[in-house]
Structures are given as C-alpha cells and as structure tokens.
Amino acid sequence: MANYELEESDKLNLQFKKRGGILPVIVQDQQSKEILMLGYTNEEAFEISLLTGKATFWSTSRKKIWTKGETSGDYLLIEHIKVDCDQDALIYLVSKQGSGACHTRNRQGETRKSCFYRLYNYQEGKLEHLDP
C-alpha cells in the first residue's frame, strides 16, 4: 500500500506485520491526559479490545493476551483510539475503572495511577519517585 493511502485514507489498515505482529499502544487517561502505560497489541488483542471496550494487550513477556484489570479489577475502558500516520502505533484514550493502571504499588500499598512513576535525574544518574 502506498504511503499516501496509509496516511490519508479513512480505511483502517494497521501494519501488524511491520513489527513482527505487534503494535505499540500508548494508554492515556481521557480526562487528565496523563500517560498511564505502554503496552502492545496484536490483531487478536485489538479485536478483543474493540468487542469488549476494555484495553486488551499482547504480553511480550508472558506471550499471551491479557485484558488490563482481569486480576486487579482496574480495567481501562477505551473511549477513543488514535492511529498514527503510518498505522503502526496507537493511542488508547481511556477512562479508569478502578484506582490505577500499573501492576505495581506505591509505598502505601496503593495501586499506582500510572506506570510512569519515576523521573530520571540525569545530572545525578538516578531515578526519583514521583508518587508517595
């Protein structure tokens, strides 16, 4: 398919083959615009996301499909899906159904709202926690 068709067409033609069957998915809170996580989807996980309205991913470490929240109850409900110019990356704009998006917990034992809870201080060469 020509670049023009990918870039200007109103037809969804996700380029799964380009990256070995998966596409990166940035997950962003619909209201706050905070980036919650980065995941990956394959064709099956994408179809499940469309059918259920819940963010579903391909786990690159476990090599299986998983729906965020199926064990924690912290589901991510898809409000909108943005597709990049080359149709090889996605943004899921979501609303949280639960307290957080990350599988880790902060020092108080609470689910973290975002997987991006540390800032790299490159002057000191260390990570700094952004949450309590």
Side-chain angles (χ1 to χ4, degrees):
M1 177 174 276
N3 281 350
Y4 181 82
E5 290 179 57
L6 279 177
E7 296 166 358
E8 302 301 327
S9 173
D10 62 358
K11 181 181 179 210
L12 185 66
N13 188 9
L14 298 177
Q15 301 297 296
F16 287 104
K17 292 179 183 173
K18 189 174 183 179
R19 291 193 174 96
I22 60 173
L23 299 180
V25 180
I26 298 165
V27 181
Q28 184 177 28
D29 186 287
Q30 169 75 12
Q31 289 193 311
S32 72
K33 303 304 182 208
E34 180 178 15
I35 301 296
L36 303 176
M37 62 176 280
L38 171 69
Y40 297 90
T41 190
N42 63 10
E43 289 184 67
E44 183 180 0
F46 184 72
E47 289 299 321
I48 293 169
S49 294
L50 294 179
L51 289 171
T52 65
K54 295 176 181 172
T56 301
F57 304 95
W58 172 255
S59 170
T60 57
S61 59
R62 293 176 284 160
K63 306 292 186 221
K64 69 177 207 171
I65 290 177
W66 62 281
T67 298
K68 174 65 184 120
E70 62 193 358
T71 56
S72 66
D74 293 327
Y75 290 99
L76 300 172
L77 306 179
I78 299 172
E79 303 292 338
H80 301 284
I81 298 172
K82 288 186 173 184
V83 180
D84 82 328
C85 56
D86 295 324
Q87 295 203 39
D88 62 0
L90 303 170
I91 299 174
Y92 288 174
L93 294 163
V94 302
S95 57
K96 291 184 286 191
Q97 185 180 45
S99 59
C102 189
H103 71 281
T104 65
R105 297 184 179 275
N106 64 18
R107 293 178 180 119
Q108 285 74 38
E110 302 162 329
T111 302
R112 288 191 166 101
K113 291 181 171 80
S114 168
C115 293
F116 295 95
Y117 56 90
R118 295 176 291 182
L119 180 69
Y120 181 61
N121 181 328
Y122 57 89
Q123 288 91 0
E124 295 183 26
K126 67 178 186 175
L127 295 173
E128 299 173 353
H129 282 257
L130 298 172
D131 64 354

